[in-house]
Amino acid sequence: LGMAAPAALQRSVVSPAGRHTASLIFLHGSGDTGQGARAWIKQILNQDMAFQHIKVIYPTAPARPYTPMKGAFSNVWFDRYKICNDCPEHIESIDSMCRGLTDLINDEIKNGIAKNRILIGGFSMGGGMAMHLAYRFHQDLAGVFALSSFLNKDSAVYQALKRNESALPELFQCHGTADELVLYSWGEETNKMLKSLGVSASLHTFPNLNHELNRTEIEKLKSWIVKKLPVEASKTN
């Protein structure tokens, strides 16, 4: 039996105030939803993360059995054998979700958005997913962000970049030093590895921040988003 095409991902969308010339895909953390991630950011900022020209898309991962929760169903982008940085990746579930998210990217391209005007990133597992998607399959995206995220030590991302010759999307990473779920050292190691493989990567450190988002971090992210997707890149045709 051939692989059934994945059903289109549910999504929560913040439309741009003006003309839509760029898109941002934000992937939630494990067990959350697109709606939930949007509400969380809205609560932190006291308003939606919104832009004049950028459409913000918060997709929801389909529910699947999740091994760290003893196989209970959860909205996760992929499965993990356990939450650690030195175990193998569950590559089959990662690759299958890369197909579903590629459909989402293609929807934006069909809407007339150039691929180098699309950013992808996320929180925790969402950031890990974004790094797989961009650095293995979509190296022509505008950039990637990963908040409180990490890649496993022998990640397929590193394997792909070892063979890579082309220019790569820039990475914007943030991590709290008090994170007890995804250790700061895991994020730091991911950053160092990606840099050594040719990725232009920054790591913003937040003292005393646990596995969460805060306002300073989202404001920093917003400035970076506008730098990568500037308003003036309007097509004249």
Side-chain angles (χ1 to χ4, degrees), residues 9-232:
L9 297 166
Q10 287 186 306
R11 55 199 88 164
S12 179
V13 174
V14 182
S15 297
R19 197 165 76 90
H20 176 204
T21 66
S23 296
L24 166 71
I25 299 169
F26 188 106
L27 306 179
H28 63 73
S30 59
D32 202 356
T33 59
Q35 209 80 40
R38 175 183 175 177
W40 189 19
I41 290 175
K42 191 172 181 173
Q43 184 195 335
I44 294 168
L45 295 176
N46 293 317
Q47 59 183 7
D48 265 316
M49 180 166 72
F51 302 90
Q52 190 60 32
H53 59 298
I54 306 167
K55 173 179 171 186
V56 185
I57 306 162
Y58 296 94
T60 295
R64 58 156 298 134
Y66 188 45
T67 303
M69 286 172 50
K70 299 185 168 61
F73 271 69
S74 186
N75 293 90
V76 288
W77 297 109
F78 49 86
D79 199 7
R80 295 185 195 281
Y81 296 104
K82 50 178 192 270
I83 299 173
C84 65
N85 75 337
D86 55 2
C87 53
E89 290 176 318
H90 195 291
I91 200 70
E92 190 189 348
S93 61
I94 293 173
D95 287 359
S96 121
M97 188 50 63
C98 282
R99 289 194 288 274
L101 289 165
T102 294
D103 291 344
L104 188 60
I105 291 171
N106 288 338
D107 283 349
E108 292 311 294
I109 295 169
K110 281 180 203 134
N111 285 333
I113 303 303
K115 204 159 169 197
N116 64 0
R117 296 281 292 161
I118 300 174
L119 269 181
I120 184 151
F123 174 71
S124 192
M125 173 186 264
M129 185 75 233
M131 290 187 277
H132 273 272
L133 189 66
Y135 293 121
R136 292 176 56 215
F137 301 105
H138 297 284
Q139 296 180 345
D140 43 357
L141 289 168
V144 187
F145 61 91
L147 316 173
S148 313
S149 308
F150 75 103
L151 291 169
N152 295 27
K153 279 187 194 299
D154 60 351
S155 176
V157 173
Y158 303 149
Q159 308 313 318
L161 294 181
K162 279 174 187 155
R163 300 186 295 270
N164 175 64
E165 298 298 309
S166 62
L168 296 162
E170 184 187 322
L171 174 69
F172 178 93
Q173 235 182 312
C174 294
H175 217 115
T177 57
D179 196 326
E180 288 163 15
L181 185 67
V182 175
L183 302 184
Y184 177 77
S185 60
W186 300 357
E188 194 176 35
E189 190 179 309
T190 299
N191 191 271
K192 283 191 180 127
M193 269 304 286
L194 289 171
K195 270 190 178 141
S196 75
L197 293 164
V199 176
S200 159
S202 58
L203 175 59
H204 303 267
T205 302
F206 294 84
N208 309 322
L209 186 69
N210 202 320
H211 196 63
E212 58 196 338
L213 296 171
N214 73 10
R215 188 171 185 136
T216 317
E217 179 182 14
I218 296 172
E219 296 293 1
K220 262 194 176 152
L221 173 64
K222 280 185 74 175
S223 309
W224 180 78
I225 289 167
V226 175
K227 194 181 85 192
K228 299 310 291 180
L229 301 174
V231 75
E232 59 277 356

